[in-house]
Amino acid sequence: MTDADAAVEKLVDVFQHKIAGLSRVLDIPVVSVAKADLVAIALYVHSATGLSGTLSLQWAVDLRPMEPCFRIYYLFSLPGRGAWLIVAIDLPDSDRVYPSITPRIHAAKWYEREIRDLFGLIPEGHPDLRRLVRHEHWPKGTHPLKKDFAWDHVMGRQQGEYRFRHIEGEGVFEVPVGPIHAGIIEPGHFRFSVAGEPVMQLELRHFWKHRGVEKLFENRPLVDGVSLAEKVSGDTSFGHSLAYCEAAERLMGITVPPRARYLRTLFLELERMHNHIGDVGAICNDAAYALALAHASRMKERIMQLADRLTGSRFLRGVNVVGGTAIDVSRTQMDETAREVDSIGRDFGDLASIIFDNASLTDRLESTGVLSERTAWDHGVMGVVGRASNIDRDVRRDHPFAAYADLALRVPVFNYGDVRARVRIRIEEVKESISLIRQVRERIPDGAVRVPALSAPEAGLWALGAVEGWRGEILYYLMAGKGGTIHRCKVRDPSFVNWPAIQFAVLGNIIPDFPLINKSFNLSYAGTDL
Amino acid sequence: MFRIIRKSLKTGVVTGHYPDSAAPTPQVTPETAEKAALFRRSLTIREVDTGSCNACEMEMNALANPIYDIERFGVHIAASPRHADALVVTGPVTCNMERALKDAYKSTPDPKIVIALGDCAIDCGAFKGSYAVTGPVDRHVPVDVKIPGCPPRPSEILAALQALMATRR
């Protein structure tokens, strides 16, 4: 019996009459409940006295072309390796209100606001119902993910103002920053409330780059979604396209050839390496240690040029296709890759020891921007940031995809939760990536790299794709529509989950340390805004 | 200290170790050439992201690394549009960023050059027609130079900027 089965048994034991339906979708148990019982059941799944699951994703689907209802899903990650549990509620077409779980489960905070903006479903009892995605100038009643909203609708304008939370008192002042920032980075708005030096409150306002990605997925053929998935967050092009392919392949019942699975592992690790190395340099640069940036960005460039030589794209775009990979890597290229990666590993090892020998740099990094384990768990924080705060989760190990089930992998975890811990996680993961690439070179089997994707799944079926991108767990929920098209695609970049946590990591730090903390999280704005 | 020196000596000079641009350099119109003549020796850039997927930002950042080292051509990145000669705009203009783009354009002192970087900035790319996108950059502010690509490689951006700065009256 798996962990998930045990959990479901326990849940059924406690809530016998309240469970409306029990089904399984590709080994994930789905528990349907009535709206009125949702809070009690979700709380049981979440609380430490119950199943201790963290809320990993919450999303809604407009089912009205097939059934007269909206459905909201809650995906929980249970503590056992690889155990997932989904709780679902149905809202009939006439009913737009459902109970909010945010007052007890903080991780739902942004999801519920997002669902309200995109579907017009109102979470009753949510403590903060300001607009999230729809900025104030969007007209009232604009809910783009409802099926009766055209994807190319031309939006009007209205007047409105976002109400920031203010702290009042003697000597308190606010520092607004953005949406356009000083460096070459993406747009977002930060508002600090400061008394003297320490930050008392930070408010984030995002979604400046909302491009309507999830709507653009709808009605496309399933095999066509890959190129759009690559453009969700450019620095994770490969991770996103892989997560999309995993979901689409599971949905269409395709078995990817082993060689393609190994190639995907190789490219995903290359992507992880260049991003982690670049981040280590950039974090040091924000503490005014420019030497590290110069060396790290040089190594990052070497990897990107290597990717360009292997695939014709510095961002590994156009490599993934539903059913495998579009390109193959020859034996000589594989040897070159392994040599280059080894040499970069030695180069980077030198740099890492130089960085940690520097006492004044360590002074800036240590005990700065601490994210406690408790806060991280409450908010469902994941990826590099989570592992620096003792959250031991990694999709590569817990839900193996590509070729990870065949490879030896060590997941580094630290419990300090400060900037230095996040730097160390990155350095350890670069070492792991090099070891994985070496293993891929030794074990890669011969054969085809691609199988045709022909089958059209029945409308209403869905699948989940999960991939450990370099930032953390990327999730794709993909539901088939009529004739092999996409009915709904929910994209979740780890940034969406980790952004709210940054508001807690900066408390008590000074504003000059914010760039350092922000960089050590290094979250994507594009992946959040969609 | 000695380790840093040893590391630098071992690494040597890496500047210029990149493949040449494969893409044709975009044409510069006479009007743009006239404006650009002022900035022949030094061009200060402010980058504005209006909805890109952040790949263009990564390539702009790569221009500052020791391999491309864009500062050796007199190109600088400014922190504020008020210090800039040129705006580099990436991404389709989303309806939430429209105001901010116009404000940044107004804050840039005249004469100024606007460069649309990447396919999305030129014609909205994959996001064309979406409800959340209000059009390419030249629908909102006048664009002088277009650098196509998804994203353009740093060597291509470098070649286009050099072509712009090499123009004479």
Side-chain angles (χ1 to χ4, degrees):
Chain A
M1 193 163 70
T2 63
D3 290 338
D5 289 330
V8 172
E9 205 161 88
K10 222 169 142 190
L11 191 67
V12 173
D13 248 19
V14 180
F15 293 96
Q16 272 166 356
H17 309 294
K18 293 185 172 170
I19 286 168
L22 200 59
S23 61
R24 300 179 76 80
V25 177
L26 313 154
D27 76 353
I28 307 172
V30 182
V31 182
S32 306
V33 302
K35 198 172 89 168
D37 303 323
L38 170 74
V39 176
I41 291 176
L43 205 61
Y44 180 76
V45 177
H46 178 74
S47 68
T49 48
L51 303 176
S52 327
T54 28
L55 181 72
S56 280
L57 180 61
Q58 180 186 348
W59 72 103
V61 183
D62 183 354
L63 285 170
R64 286 177 303 167
M66 306 169 204
E67 299 166 53
C69 68
F70 292 91
R71 188 167 293 158
I72 300 177
Y73 292 96
Y74 301 77
L75 174 73
F76 288 93
S77 298
L78 302 176
R81 296 267 161 95
W84 269 333
L85 174 71
I86 292 179
V87 176
I89 54 169
D90 276 0
L91 293 180
D93 197 10
S94 52
D95 188 6
R96 292 293 153 79
V97 183
Y98 68 99
S100 165
I101 58 169
T102 305
R104 309 299 296 272
I105 304 174
H106 299 312
K109 176 166 71 171
W110 274 22
Y111 290 125
E112 289 185 343
R113 285 171 73 182
E114 189 193 32
I115 289 173
R116 188 217 175 198
D117 281 356
L118 299 177
F119 289 91
L121 305 174
I122 298 160
E124 198 177 21
H126 193 294
D128 177 10
L129 273 180
R130 290 175 296 175
R131 290 179 171 200
L132 187 72
V133 185
R134 301 183 296 161
H135 280 193
E136 280 53 50
H137 59 82
W138 290 35
K140 230 178 147 199
T142 312
H143 302 298
L145 284 185
K146 281 164 74 171
K147 284 290 171 188
D148 40 23
F149 186 96
W151 72 276
D152 55 356
H153 177 90
V154 178
M155 261 197 308
R157 288 282 189 277
Q158 71 165 31
Q159 288 289 321
E161 201 190 333
Y162 189 81
R163 291 192 310 281
F164 285 95
R165 286 220 189 86
H166 299 293
I167 292 185
E168 282 174 18
E170 200 180 305
V172 179
F173 59 98
E174 279 184 15
V175 184
V177 188
I180 299 179
H181 299 295
I184 303 182
I185 52 167
E186 305 172 68
H189 185 87
F190 300 91
R191 195 166 283 216
F192 301 90
S193 296
V194 187
E197 286 222 301
V199 176
M200 298 167 75
Q201 174 185 273
L202 163 63
E203 263 208 282
L204 298 175
R205 188 165 184 230
H206 276 313
F207 301 92
W208 299 88
K209 321 175 52 161
H210 176 72
R211 293 152 291 165
V213 173
E214 287 178 3
K215 191 77 181 180
L216 285 171
F217 270 114
E218 292 182 4
N219 295 326
R220 273 185 186 226
L222 275 165
V223 286
D224 267 12
V226 188
S227 67
L228 192 58
E230 281 171 347
K231 293 177 188 86
V232 168
S233 180
D235 48 15
T236 327
S237 293
F238 195 82
H240 271 276
S241 62
L242 182 55
Y244 178 86
C245 287
E246 287 277 329
E249 282 152 7
R250 210 161 289 163
L251 186 58
M252 297 163 84
I254 297 170
T255 312
V256 179
R259 189 173 175 84
R261 292 197 288 116
Y262 276 84
L263 288 178
R264 285 175 168 183
T265 309
L266 167 74
F267 292 132
L268 191 68
E269 293 306 323
L270 277 182
E271 186 175 83
R272 186 184 320 276
M273 270 182 81
H274 80 67
N275 279 301
H276 278 351
I277 292 177
D279 278 357
V280 170
I283 295 168
C284 296
N285 188 51
D286 278 346
Y289 196 54
L291 177 103
L293 176 71
H295 278 296
S297 59
R298 172 176 62 78
M299 294 170 212
K300 179 187 168 97
E301 179 67 25
R302 272 177 81 182
I303 304 179
M304 293 188 79
Q305 288 186 13
L306 174 69
D308 200 0
R309 287 199 296 279
L310 291 176
T311 67
S313 163
R314 289 162 57 87
F315 290 84
L316 302 161
R317 285 185 171 169
V319 176
N320 269 320
V321 286
V322 178
T325 56
I327 56 141
D328 200 353
V329 173
S330 69
R331 194 76 242 174
T332 40
Q333 280 178 316
M334 196 68 90
D335 292 341
E336 187 211 332
T337 307
R339 263 200 315 278
E340 183 80 358
V341 164
D342 270 340
S343 137
I344 290 168
R346 283 191 300 276
D347 206 352
F348 187 62
D350 285 353
L351 180 65
S353 60
I354 289 176
I355 289 172
F356 286 130
D357 270 2
N358 189 326
S360 59
L361 184 67
T362 304
D363 201 34
R364 277 299 293 284
L365 305 184
E366 230 169 29
S367 74
T368 301
V370 176
L371 182 68
S372 70
E373 183 181 348
R374 177 73 216 203
T375 314
W377 195 82
D378 276 348
H379 291 265
V381 169
M382 54 188 62
V384 173
V385 182
R387 288 193 284 275
S389 298
N390 210 13
I391 306 285
D392 188 8
R393 256 167 54 196
D394 190 316
V395 186
R396 290 177 293 173
R397 179 195 62 198
D398 301 343
H399 302 273
F401 54 94
Y404 287 104
D406 312 347
L407 305 175
L409 169 73
R410 188 181 57 91
V411 178
V413 176
F414 291 102
N415 58 7
Y416 308 105
D418 56 359
V419 175
R420 189 163 181 268
R422 293 190 275 275
V423 172
R424 285 182 67 191
I425 290 274
R426 287 186 166 93
I427 291 173
E428 294 300 314
E429 286 196 1
V430 168
K431 286 184 201 155
E432 263 328 282
S433 294
I434 294 169
S435 132
L436 284 165
I437 290 172
R438 231 180 267 145
Q439 294 177 48
V440 166
R441 176 174 161 270
E442 280 159 20
R443 298 197 192 162
I444 189 166
D446 289 327
V449 293
R450 178 176 189 181
V451 290
L454 298 172
S455 72
E458 200 184 313
L461 289 180
W462 58 266
L464 218 53
V467 160
E468 187 76 19
W470 61 276
R471 269 194 191 97
E473 173 183 325
I474 301 167
L475 290 176
Y476 269 70
Y477 163 88
L478 202 56
M479 184 186 236
K482 287 194 187 80
T485 57
I486 301 170
H487 182 79
R488 168 96 167 98
C489 182
K490 169 72 196 155
V491 182
R492 210 285 321 273
D493 190 86
S495 314
F496 188 90
V497 180
N498 291 358
W499 267 121
I502 220 171
Q503 300 176 120
F504 298 91
V506 295
L507 294 182
N509 289 272
I510 56 176
I511 291 189
D513 275 339
F514 177 70
L516 205 59
I517 299 166
N518 191 24
K519 202 83 213 180
S520 72
F521 275 65
N522 195 8
L523 304 173
S524 165
Y525 299 69
T528 307
D529 296 359
L530 294 177
Chain B
M1 187 66 208
F2 288 114
R3 291 172 71 185
I4 296 173
I5 294 171
R6 202 181 63 201
K7 180 85 188 147
S8 303
L9 288 175
K10 222 164 78 183
T11 307
V13 176
V14 293
T15 309
H17 287 210
Y18 54 87
D20 284 336
S21 155
T25 310
Q27 288 293 313
V28 179
T29 62
E31 300 88 76
T32 307
E34 195 168 320
K35 267 200 263 178
L38 280 169
F39 307 120
R40 241 173 48 209
R41 283 153 175 260
S42 145
L43 179 73
T44 302
I45 286 177
R46 168 70 259 192
E47 203 258 6
V48 178
D49 173 0
T50 56
S52 82
C53 68
N54 80 27
C56 288
E57 274 66 53
M58 264 177 84
E59 296 298 47
M60 282 297 291
N61 273 321
L63 285 177
N65 72 24
I67 293 174
Y68 297 99
D69 192 19
I70 197 168
E71 296 237 347
R72 69 195 154 127
F73 300 110
V75 180
H76 313 283
I77 314 281
S80 161
R82 294 186 202 282
H83 302 161
D85 306 320
L87 277 185
V88 172
V89 188
T90 60
V93 182
T94 63
C95 55
N96 291 346
M97 274 306 282
E98 196 186 311
R99 266 286 300 280
L101 171 66
K102 286 179 177 162
D103 286 351
Y105 180 78
K106 266 187 237 147
S107 312
T108 314
D110 283 319
K112 57 194 159 203
I113 300 172
V114 178
I115 301 169
L117 184 77
D119 290 347
C120 293
I122 294 170
D123 69 349
C124 293
F127 307 104
K128 195 186 270 175
S130 165
Y131 66 89
V133 165
T134 59
V137 177
D138 61 7
R139 221 193 119 197
H140 300 291
V141 298
V143 170
D144 301 297
V145 185
K146 293 175 178 175
I147 307 178
C150 183
R153 292 181 168 83
S155 54
E156 290 164 22
I157 305 174
L158 204 57
L161 289 179
Q162 279 179 289
L164 179 70
M165 291 172 74
T167 53
R168 279 158 208 285
R169 219 184 279 261

